């Protein structure tokens, strides 16, 4: 292979995530509803029959499907499937950002308003219950921050003999921030709290600048 052929291949190449050519994309929606003249954030409690993270507080969301035209559509579809809303009830959608989870998925976070007057009709296969928290609560109360360490544990058969320093190799330990919000008997933490914290920081900054 010569330089010209390498140049041609790299010119035609679409840059990707090294080590993960096709990252798994998830989309979630941070839903806002108006209750008694005040904005509330809607949360779900995952069904206790779910294989992953049963009983945890989360936002509606899930993995992108091929039929979704846009990652925003994934967030809308999942919200409708999980809370029993209709697509036309999900309005004013903004993208908050993209969260790169250390555990694999790439999560696209959106915020949107739900024009919903009656109660939600939760899908019992995925949602145990839903509840709301006044947005003002999060504007006034910062999360409690804790840290976990993500450590490397080579599996049996790892070729220590092929790397410098062998079994004494010093693997890097990565600190990872975990945020906890407490409201009544609910604990909001993990990726949900991370997205919520980022959303609150955005609107607090805008609010402070307008004073």
């Amino acid at each position: 292979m010569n330089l010209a052929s390498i140049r041609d291949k790299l010119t035609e190449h679409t840059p990707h995530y090294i080590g993960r050519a096709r990252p798994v994309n998830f989309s979630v929606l941070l839903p806002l509803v108006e209750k008694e003249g005040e904005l509330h954030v809607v949360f779900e409690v995952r069904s206790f029959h779910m294989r992953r993270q049963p009983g945890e507080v989360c936002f509606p969301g899930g993995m992108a499907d091929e039929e979704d035209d846009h990652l925003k559509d994934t967030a809308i579809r999942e919200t409708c499937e999980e809370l029993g809303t209709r697509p036309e009830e999900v309005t004013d959608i903004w993208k908050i950002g993209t969260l790169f989870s250390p555990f694999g998925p790439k999560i696209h976070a959106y915020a949107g308003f739900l024009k919903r007057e009656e109660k939600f009709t939760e899908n019992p296969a995925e949602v145990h219950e839903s509840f709301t928290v006044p947005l003002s609560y999060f504007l006034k109360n910062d999360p409690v921050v804790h840290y976990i360490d993500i450590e490397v544990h080579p599996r049996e058969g790892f070729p220590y003999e092929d790397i410098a320093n062998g079994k004494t190799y010093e693997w890097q330990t990565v600190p990872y921030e975990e945020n906890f919000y407490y409201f009544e008997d609910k604990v909001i933490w993990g990726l949900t709290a991370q997205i919520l914290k980022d959303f609150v920081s955005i609107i607090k900054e805008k609010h402070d600048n307008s004073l």
Side-chain angles (χ1 to χ4, degrees), residues 37-88:
E38 183 178 4
L39 283 177
H40 283 233
V41 182
V42 181
F43 297 92
E44 298 175 353
V45 176
R46 289 171 62 86
S47 168
F48 289 92
H49 302 293
M50 298 286 284
R51 182 175 60 87
R52 294 178 59 253
Q53 298 152 340
E56 290 196 4
V57 174
C58 67
F59 292 127
M63 188 167 61
D65 287 346
E66 291 184 0
E67 64 263 26
D68 296 330
D69 293 329
H70 190 278
L71 290 165
K72 177 178 68 175
D73 298 322
T74 301
I76 296 172
R77 175 179 54 77
E78 290 286 343
T79 300
C80 293
E81 291 177 1
E82 295 173 18
L83 293 178
T85 58
R86 298 184 300 275
E88 60 269 22

Side-chain angles (χ1 to χ4, degrees), residues 15-16 26 28 30 45 47 79 81 91 93 101 114 118 121 125 147 151 166 188 190 206 208-209:
H16 59 250
F26 284 73
V28 300
L30 187 157
V45 176
S47 168
T79 300
E81 291 177 1
T91 66
I93 301 172
S101 166
L114 301 184
E118 68 270 25
T121 307
Y147 291 88
E151 300 180 346
I188 303 162
K206 298 295 184 183
D208 292 343
N209 289 341

